Amino acid sequence: MTNPGSAAAGTSPTTSRLRAEQISKSFGPVHALTEVSLDVRAGEVLALMGENGAGKSTLLRVLSGDHQPDAGHLLLDGTPVTFHSPREAHRAGLRVIQQEPEIIPHVSVAENIYLGALPRRGRLLDKRTLIAQVRRDLERYGFQDVLDPGTLGSELSAAQRQLVEILRALAGEVRVIAFDEPTSSLSDHEVDALFGLIRRLRDDGVAIVYVSHRMPEIFTIADRVAVLRDGRYVGDRLVSQTDNAELVRMMVGRNLADMFVRDPREPGEVMLSVRGLVTDDVRDVSLQVRAGEVVGLGGLVGAGRSELALAIIGAVPIHQGGIEVAGEPLRLRGPADALRAGIGLAPEERKAQALLLRRSVRDNITLAVLSRLARLRVVRRRAERDLARRHVDQLAIRASSIEQEVATLSGGNQQKVVLARWLARRPRVLILDEPTRGVDVGAKAEIYSIINDLAGQGMALLVISSEMPELLGLSDRIVVMQGGRVTGEVTRAEATEERVLALAMAEDLSTTGAQP
Amino acid sequence: MTTTESPAAPSRPDPVLRPHPLRRTLDVIGVQNLSLIIALIALCAVIGSQNTNFFLVSNIKTIGTTVSIVGIIAVVQTVVMLLGGLDISVGSAAGLTSVASAMVFTSASSAALGILVGLLVGIGVGLLNGMVIVYGRVNAVIATLATYAALRGLANLISNGRAQGYTGTDSTFIFLAQGSVLGIPILIWVLIVVALLVHLMLRYTDIGRNIYATGGNPTAARLAGINLNRYVIGCYILAGFVAAIAGILLTARTGSGQPTSGSQGLELQSITAAALGGVALQGGKGGITGTVIAVLMLGVLQNGLTILNVNSFWQDIAQGALLVVAVVIQQRRGKLRAYGLPR
């Protein structure tokens, strides 16, 4: 291995079970993986770490045959293998346990586990054998107290669903098994059972890849840690020879690109004030955003940031707490009310939540201002076209005309269309949820500059981002969330990647944290 | 995954270009409409070559008056489908209003009152459908399937399952059924006016644009401040109102209130016409022009099969087959994923 960061080469007694060589994978203009090489050895637990968007999930998808790499190849026990589909990877003995298991709701646990390989007598399902098989499996892996073979899929807890998925994966010959944040929905007791299972698999000679953000877990279960950053392999460490701080450094150690223009600005009045907000996913959140200020909302995926945004806009029910816009309390029955008060949200899932994919650039840009453009309900076409053209020019949206179907634009241009919609509407408060997801580098810089301009014009901006450099580069202030709560707030001057990441993982460290 | 990455055009400094005039003309008509028109002409040619009576003015008027009732229903069905819904109760609603208007006319001997009550019944039906869908959170197909059955039952109940009243001597109803303005029958005028008004609404008002947006991406529409509930209820009320007009025309044509005859099957015919005309079942795509051409096509087909003496049961089979074919073509065009494939 030529990588200077490799510490463990030669120190492990076992041989390489699965080897990824120079794997690259791009989605359009986005490089998800760049020449990643990685070894997983038989009988070891390799933890895979990295920030959101570092490429962990893409790598797992390559291993599971979901994605085919653009370049590079996989070696399984020294033999080159190519997987055209998840089925082929499965047949070769590779398993990836997804975070969100696919469970059939109205069918028993036993049938869910043996789906596709149900024991039969003639053409009939042999229910007795099936139940016996599942009982045997459960006892073998120590889950007999946690799971009953007869329970229906719909009655399972998140943890039980996870276990069903794992048991399903263990059918047949297993050579490599990857867990994608398996403990995010498990209780301590269940985590112990899972770790017992992982150790047993390891002792049986299975190679295990374990993806997690939770440091204490890594130190409990893993033998070795490999770190990815920005789709590249950073290096690996033996767990016995590293510590928390070093791993965080490896995950974030990246230079801020000179992508951020930032004009000096003086924040004005408090525009958005959220006090003690409680929803299904958000617990007692308070924060403020001033006019002309960019507040970054940091945290790991699932920290409740998007859910907070949806609550502020009135798209999900609020149980407690209040929202004020420019000092006026907001009575929210739906997004229309929030919009009338001057709050806009460019949501996380561009295609699913923001765009009318089969409609034109013009239709998409003017969607939120149609009533303003209408006289006696008739939309003034010239005014509409002018508005759309002006924003296409201003944001340098690359489209053949304003009538081009949005589905045919690149990701970056689609995102700019979403921004254009809000620029046209001119809300007082604009919430941007992952504004540069799936956007190439050039368009990212353009979007940053637009955000800077908007703040300069006095708009209050709340920017949710899972990318550290973006968060640090854009924000005047960063509010960090974890598990639906605000765990801390840092000013621009105090903000470092380590600090934000520590806050984002705060609860994990304090509650699960047995070891440093 | 349905997205194709377009190669951005960096060689063009001006990102906004006006499309070629010919291209724009085609865009106005639409590729789908053009193929429908061609199919319609071909159909006319085939039938006309078999029986030249097809081209008689009287026959063409017959086609026009037969399609008018289906036509106005298909127009509002289009609106509901654009919104991402479906209204199966339109036929039953028309039957109920037909009976109601005739009965009120008979007891009050006022055509105006009969028509007014009929229209109110239609609006009520639409309101009911909309409320059940929005506040009961019931799937539109199920909600209107329920009213489809219930309203038919109600129509039969109040009429004892028989034709009601006799409107054949009332001048207003006679005018509706047989009158004509500028040589064109009133029934056809009603279709023209309804289709034109709805077309203008869809194309030129913010209401129409919001209907497309809601059908195309409800989440996006909601986050853009569109009050979805109001639109859903409004569209079903429109559907109920126009179904009531259809019911009143039905009363006028047959001279009496008809609980089922004439209104039965309007739901299937209107959905077939809209689907054939290019309205996407998942909403957000299509228009009135396509639906109207499709209605004409169905009318011509039915008329042709009749004058060619084809067994009328075959017509039902043809209609069912046409619905499936129309939707299959659409799904192919829309590049929809096969059933059960993950995203």
Side-chain angles (χ1 to χ4, degrees):
Chain A
M1 209 179 276
T2 52
N3 195 309
S6 177
T11 54
S12 176
T14 45
T15 52
S16 166
R17 167 56 59 80
L18 180 69
R19 188 172 158 69
E21 269 185 355
Q22 303 284 310
I23 300 276
S24 294
K25 177 77 190 172
S26 300
F27 299 99
V30 182
H31 300 284
L33 291 175
T34 312
E35 294 170 6
V36 170
S37 296
L38 185 74
D39 261 315
V40 196
R41 296 164 197 152
E44 82 163 348
V45 177
L46 174 71
L48 192 57
M49 295 197 82
E51 290 180 32
N52 297 326
K56 296 167 303 198
S57 297
T58 309
L59 186 59
L60 289 191
R61 282 171 171 269
V62 168
L63 297 186
S64 71
D66 250 356
H67 288 334
Q68 281 71 50
D70 299 335
H73 54 272
L74 299 172
L75 295 170
L76 189 60
D77 287 326
T79 324
V81 285
T82 339
F83 304 131
H84 299 289
S85 69
R87 189 186 298 218
E88 287 182 24
H90 193 275
R91 207 173 294 138
L94 268 68
R95 305 282 190 277
V96 174
I97 311 290
Q98 302 295 343
Q99 268 187 69
E100 302 284 338
E102 301 285 342
I103 303 287
I104 303 177
H106 302 295
V107 153
S108 72
V109 162
E111 285 162 275
N112 261 300
I113 293 174
Y114 278 95
L115 195 69
L118 292 168
R120 284 193 313 218
R121 218 168 23 203
R123 292 300 311 168
L124 300 175
L125 170 67
D126 185 352
K127 205 140 193 177
R128 189 170 312 183
T129 312
L130 173 68
I131 299 285
Q133 267 179 9
V134 174
R135 285 245 148 77
R136 210 165 47 238
D137 293 344
L138 287 172
E139 270 167 43
R140 188 165 148 221
Y141 299 116
F143 291 130
Q144 65 273 33
D145 302 333
V146 197
L147 211 54
D148 180 83
T151 316
L152 289 185
S154 56
E155 293 164 5
L156 297 177
S157 69
Q160 289 171 321
R161 296 163 66 90
Q162 189 88 46
L163 290 179
V164 169
E165 172 84 357
I166 293 169
L167 290 170
R168 199 188 267 164
L170 294 179
E173 192 206 359
V174 182
R175 298 210 266 184
V176 181
I177 186 162
F179 295 88
D180 192 359
E181 299 204 46
T183 57
S184 53
S185 56
L186 302 191
S187 69
D188 290 356
H189 170 67
E190 291 157 341
V191 169
D192 288 345
L194 177 69
F195 283 2
L197 168 70
I198 290 178
R199 289 197 185 97
R200 186 190 306 249
L201 290 169
R202 179 187 61 191
D203 297 344
D204 287 352
V206 176
I208 293 154
V209 180
Y210 188 90
V211 175
S212 177
H213 281 302
R214 303 188 175 184
M215 283 290 183
E217 278 177 11
I218 303 293
F219 287 95
T220 309
I221 191 69
D223 302 307
R224 195 160 59 96
V225 187
V227 177
L228 291 182
R229 185 205 305 149
D230 293 340
R232 290 173 189 276
Y233 181 77
V234 178
D236 68 343
R237 296 286 183 273
L238 285 175
V239 162
S240 54
Q241 292 168 12
T242 187
D243 59 17
N244 224 322
E246 184 183 28
L247 290 179
V248 170
R249 217 159 36 238
M250 287 171 77
M251 283 159 66
V252 302
R254 158 179 44 181
N255 293 324
L256 280 186
D258 309 315
M259 294 170 76
F260 300 95
V261 248
R262 196 164 174 286
D263 301 325
R265 49 182 182 243
E266 202 52 48
E269 299 283 292
V270 173
M271 264 302 158
L272 175 72
S273 169
V274 175
R275 270 178 299 102
L277 203 68
V278 179
T279 72
D280 287 345
D281 304 293
V282 173
R283 288 179 274 168
D284 193 23
V285 167
S286 301
L287 59 83
Q288 291 189 335
V289 188
R290 295 171 176 279
E293 184 186 37
V294 180
V295 173
L297 199 49
L300 301 172
V301 168
R305 296 169 301 163
S306 299
E307 291 78 4
L308 172 65
L310 289 172
I312 294 175
I313 197 82
V316 297
I318 293 171
H319 304 318
Q320 262 180 57
I323 298 164
E324 284 177 9
V325 179
E328 298 264 332
L330 201 57
R331 166 120 181 73
L332 277 178
R333 281 155 307 184
D337 291 330
L339 213 64
R340 216 168 293 125
I343 315 179
L345 166 68
E348 183 180 13
E349 300 285 341
R350 194 162 55 223
K351 289 181 190 170
Q353 303 177 326
L355 290 170
L356 311 173
L357 284 171
R358 310 306 303 266
R359 309 291 298 177
S360 65
V361 170
R362 169 179 56 82
D363 276 355
N364 274 281
I365 290 179
T366 59
L367 182 67
V369 290
L370 278 178
S371 55
R372 284 184 199 167
L373 287 170
R375 194 161 43 199
L376 298 172
R377 309 236 69 150
V378 176
V379 178
R380 287 171 297 151
R381 310 202 116 199
R382 180 176 293 276
E384 186 192 5
R385 275 199 300 266
D386 289 347
L387 183 78
R389 285 219 183 90
R390 207 163 60 237
H391 284 91
V392 164
D393 288 344
Q394 192 186 336
L395 301 191
I397 295 170
R398 277 170 288 275
S400 61
S401 89
I402 56 169
E403 301 304 329
Q404 188 177 343
E405 196 176 273
V406 160
T408 62
L409 298 179
S410 71
N413 283 303
Q414 288 182 348
Q415 186 64 40
K416 286 199 235 167
V417 168
V418 175
L419 284 175
R421 177 185 298 164
W422 294 112
L423 257 60
R425 173 86 196 190
R426 299 233 150 260
R428 293 189 281 186
V429 179
L430 182 56
I431 306 172
L432 301 172
D433 194 351
E434 302 288 358
T436 65
R437 166 172 299 176
V439 163
D440 66 282
V441 179
K444 266 187 185 179
E446 290 174 21
I447 290 171
Y448 297 149
S449 134
I450 294 165
I451 293 173
N452 176 59
D453 289 348
L454 290 175
Q457 290 158 26
M459 199 181 276
L461 288 127
L462 183 62
V463 180
I464 299 174
S465 174
S466 297
E467 293 189 33
M468 282 294 176
E470 180 170 303
L471 207 56
L472 295 171
L474 282 175
S475 314
D476 296 309
R477 208 149 44 85
I478 298 172
V479 175
V480 187
M481 286 181 70
Q482 207 280 321
R485 293 176 194 284
V486 171
T487 48
E489 189 178 316
V490 287
T491 63
R492 185 181 178 81
E494 307 166 330
T496 60
E497 297 199 25
E498 285 80 0
R499 216 162 147 182
V500 172
L501 200 59
L503 285 171
M505 302 210 254
E507 200 185 57
D508 289 347
L509 289 172
S510 60
T511 57
T512 339
Q515 285 148 291
Chain B
M1 243 171 258
T2 49
T3 316
T4 46
E5 297 289 342
S6 84
S11 53
R12 289 176 186 164
D14 177 9
V16 185
L17 290 175
R18 291 182 83 82
H20 190 268
L22 203 69
R23 174 80 224 176
R24 288 178 67 198
T25 326
L26 189 65
D27 281 344
V28 170
I29 305 172
V31 180
Q32 174 133 7
N33 291 345
L34 199 64
S35 37
L36 277 173
I37 291 170
I38 292 169
L40 179 60
I41 292 171
L43 194 62
C44 290
V46 170
I47 297 168
S49 70
Q50 300 294 312
N51 187 337
T52 44
N53 288 344
F54 175 79
F55 291 116
L56 291 179
V57 174
S58 62
N59 189 48
I60 289 172
K61 270 191 185 169
T62 307
I63 296 175
T65 46
T66 357
V67 298
S68 63
I69 289 178
V70 190
I72 57 173
I73 298 265
V75 164
V76 284
Q77 188 72 260
T78 301
V79 176
V80 173
M81 283 169 71
L82 282 176
L83 197 74
L86 206 63
D87 191 345
I88 300 178
S89 71
V90 279
S92 301
L96 180 64
T97 45
S98 173
V99 173
S101 60
M103 287 173 78
V104 170
F105 163 75
T106 309
S107 57
S109 36
S110 157
L113 198 62
I115 290 171
L116 183 70
V117 169
L119 294 177
L120 288 177
V121 166
I123 291 173
V125 167
L127 185 64
L128 177 70
N129 279 333
M131 301 284 261
V132 169
I133 291 165
V134 167
Y135 296 108
R137 302 187 186 177
V138 180
N139 171 293
V141 175
I142 301 300
T144 58
L145 191 61
T147 40
Y148 158 84
L151 297 178
R152 175 139 302 160
L154 187 60
N156 278 320
L157 192 70
I158 60 174
S159 66
N160 273 325
R162 288 193 301 267
Q164 288 293 316
Y166 183 66
T167 59
T169 52
D170 180 85
S171 59
T172 313
F173 280 109
I174 291 174
F175 176 69
L176 285 179
Q178 290 156 28
S180 65
V181 173
L182 304 174
I184 296 175
I186 291 295
L187 284 163
I188 298 179
W189 276 115
V190 173
L191 173 60
I192 292 173
V193 169
V194 169
L196 196 65
L197 283 179
V198 172
H199 176 75
L200 292 177
M201 174 192 80
L202 285 178
R203 225 185 149 95
Y204 295 103
T205 68
D206 61 334
I207 301 172
R209 300 277 298 275
N210 288 347
I211 289 173
Y212 278 102
T214 305
N217 188 339
T219 313
R222 186 156 177 259
L223 291 179
I226 297 171
N227 189 332
L228 300 195
N229 293 354
R230 196 182 294 168
Y231 274 87
V232 171
I233 293 175
C235 282
Y236 280 95
I237 288 180
L238 178 69
F241 179 74
V242 171
I245 295 179
I248 290 160
L249 293 179
L250 209 60
T251 302
R253 276 192 72 188
T254 54
S256 58
Q258 297 287 348
T260 50
S261 156
S263 58
Q264 206 156 16
L266 281 177
E267 58 293 315
L268 174 65
Q269 290 168 31
S270 62
I271 293 167
T272 306
L276 198 61
V279 181
L281 285 168
Q282 29 315 307
K285 202 165 151 280
I288 296 301
T289 323
T291 301
V292 169
I293 303 172
V295 164
L296 290 178
M297 235 176 102
L298 290 176
V300 165
L301 187 67
Q302 198 179 19
N303 178 271
L305 292 176
T306 309
I307 63 176
L308 297 180
N309 285 321
V310 177
N311 184 332
S312 72
F313 295 134
W314 276 109
Q315 297 180 13
D316 291 343
I317 297 174
Q319 188 139 65
L322 211 54
L323 176 58
V324 172
V325 170
V327 175
V328 167
I329 292 171
Q330 254 188 50
Q331 303 290 83
R332 295 277 154 186
R333 283 169 56 104
K335 297 189 191 88
L336 275 140
R337 303 182 67 84
Y339 188 67
L341 280 186
R343 301 174 167 277

